Amino acid sequence: MRRLLPPLITGLLALVLWELFVRLGRVAPFILPAPSAIGTELTAQRANVWDAALASGANALIGLIGGTVVAVLAALAASRFRPLGDLSVPIAALVNALPIIALAPILNNMFESTSSVPRRLVTGIVVFFPVFLNTLRGLREVDPVHQELMRTYAASGWTFATKVRLPGALGHLFTGLRQASALAVIAAVVAEYFGGLQDGLGARITSAAAFTAYPRAWAFVVGACLLGLTFYLATLLLERLAMPWKRVSS
């Protein structure tokens, strides 16, 4: 509770200052609605926000799982074969540099407009880099004693990877997942700005903004924030379940 109080107090203070700033006429309410107006709209639109969050959340979750699986397999291969490892990092950096605003329209044209595949691919590509880079770093930091022990047992490469490298890299893997969980939601929502199905938070935000319904647009933005926070907290919970010794040591 002591750790939660500072961010809660800071958040409440920011909301109060925001409300006063709008009410005192420093900015037009149709440009930046007051938190009270956004809260009222969020209550009125709660069913629509929930449905849109489910659609965006499904795309983010599938992209996160797919991107993570590919990233872990690529990291395992890159840590096993040094030439591949030397090549993979610059290629992964190049993939990470691809902007969503350029990638999403291209993928939308490659697949059917009624398909969610482009959004999930965009999410998977965005997720790939942080998970790959952190996992590869963890896989390379093998304790020399463990390495020598596995050589003594004449362990195969696969046994070495699954029994020593991957368990030892769990901390780095979850560091990458914590970064990727929020990125997955952002990528899924932003990818919806470029056409396709109109069932997600991004599509609802653009639609509300196009009709100058700014409080409604902000209500869906709040839904996107809550969705990203849910993904992050779920990742933290998963990390605690997978690494209970870390909680004990901390």
Side-chain angles (χ1 to χ4, degrees):
M1 190 64 188
R2 188 180 300 173
R3 296 172 62 184
L4 289 176
L5 270 180
L8 282 176
I9 292 173
T10 305
L12 287 174
L13 186 60
L15 287 176
V16 170
L17 291 175
W18 181 355
E19 183 80 26
L20 289 174
F21 186 72
V22 176
R23 285 182 179 272
L24 292 175
R26 296 297 180 186
V27 62
F30 66 89
I31 294 177
L32 180 64
S36 57
I38 297 171
T40 303
E41 194 66 25
L42 183 62
T43 304
Q45 296 286 333
R46 59 185 182 280
N48 292 330
V49 172
W50 175 257
D51 291 341
L54 286 180
S56 296
N59 291 333
L61 182 61
I62 292 172
L64 178 63
I65 293 173
T68 299
V69 170
V70 173
V72 171
L73 291 176
L76 282 170
S79 66
R80 179 70 177 84
F81 305 103
R82 181 163 289 279
L84 185 59
D86 294 338
L87 285 173
S88 61
V89 173
I91 293 174
L94 182 65
V95 171
N96 183 56
L98 289 173
I100 299 176
I101 56 173
L103 198 60
I106 294 172
L107 291 175
N108 276 337
N109 288 331
M110 291 173 63
F111 297 90
E112 294 180 1
S113 60
T114 56
S115 170
S116 295
V117 173
R119 298 166 183 178
R120 294 169 183 175
L121 283 176
V122 168
T123 306
I125 291 170
V126 170
V127 161
F128 176 82
F129 184 73
V131 177
F132 170 77
L133 202 62
N134 283 283
T135 306
L136 181 59
R137 185 179 301 165
L139 290 171
R140 285 175 170 172
E141 292 179 359
V142 181
D143 191 322
V145 175
H146 295 163
Q147 196 165 351
E148 190 62 33
L149 183 63
M150 295 305 285
R151 282 177 182 163
T152 304
Y153 289 145
S156 65
W158 175 252
T159 303
F160 188 30
T162 54
K163 301 292 185 185
V164 177
R165 285 184 185 275
L166 203 51
L170 272 181
H172 290 82
L173 170 60
F174 276 104
T175 299
L177 271 177
R178 286 200 300 273
Q179 300 168 8
S181 59
L183 286 175
V185 175
I186 294 171
V189 171
V190 172
E192 293 167 0
Y193 290 170
F194 302 95
L197 293 173
Q198 301 294 303
D199 57 347
L201 289 166
R204 299 297 179 89
I205 291 169
T206 52
S207 175
F211 287 99
T212 64
Y214 294 113
R216 179 149 47 98
W218 276 94
F220 285 108
V221 171
V222 172
C225 293
L226 293 176
L227 183 62
L229 186 62
T230 302
F231 267 62
Y232 184 76
L233 292 177
T235 306
L236 284 182
L237 178 62
L238 190 62
E239 182 179 6
R240 289 197 169 216
L241 293 175
M243 303 175 62
W245 60 87
K246 185 179 178 182
R247 179 176 45 179
V248 173
S249 62
S250 63

